[in-house]
Amino acid sequence: MLEKLGLEKINLQEITKDIKDQHVNFPVSNINNHCLRIAVFSGEYKWHYHSNSDELFMVLEGELLIDFKDKDTAVLKPNDTLLIPAGIVHRTRAKQRTVNLCFEDINADTIIIDE
């Protein structure tokens, strides 16, 4: 029935369960002018910020650490969310495999900070 309407049901656990790479990040869906991305990773990403978009993280599996230059590290566990306003310098990292969703503007830029 959903297919007849041009709708696609996506199971997030199904599309991530076999990912073994250290860092995979891809869009799941677009809605209006926003994108829902899913990331599966361990290790750390570079310090960066988004000048033109807020970023909302939601952890599905594992533990996501989000470091800030001028604030304490945020520790997100499954079902936790955190909104990072545009312009805030941060980096994500995980000691073990984590799966998280990220909601952001489709045209969000990523400005890498050289250390």
Side-chain angles (χ1 to χ4, degrees), residues 39 41 53 56 73 87-88 100-101:
F41 77 100
S53 179
L56 176 70
T73 296
I88 300 292
N100 65 271
L101 296 174

Side-chain angles (χ1 to χ4, degrees), residues 61-80:
E61 175 187 321
E63 181 177 85
L64 178 65
L65 305 171
I66 304 177
D67 298 322
F68 300 94
K69 290 284 191 180
D70 58 351
K71 297 176 181 51
D72 291 340
T73 296
V75 179
L76 304 180
K77 297 182 185 264
N79 301 308
D80 287 344

Side-chain angles (χ1 to χ4, degrees), residues 12 36-39 55-61 64 66 76-83 98-103:
L12 300 174
L36 170 62
R37 302 182 67 77
I38 194 160
E55 187 174 28
L56 176 70
F57 287 95
M58 179 173 166
V59 174
L60 300 177
E61 175 187 321
L64 178 65
I66 304 177
L76 304 180
K77 297 182 185 264
N79 301 308
D80 287 344
T81 66
L82 181 69
L83 176 66
T98 185
V99 180
N100 65 271
L101 296 174
C102 178
F103 302 86

Side-chain angles (χ1 to χ4, degrees), residues 22-24 39-43 64 92-94 96-98 100:
Q22 184 175 2
H23 190 271
V24 177
V40 180
F41 77 100
S42 59
L64 178 65
T92 53
R93 60 186 173 92
Q96 299 176 24
R97 182 182 193 267
T98 185
N100 65 271

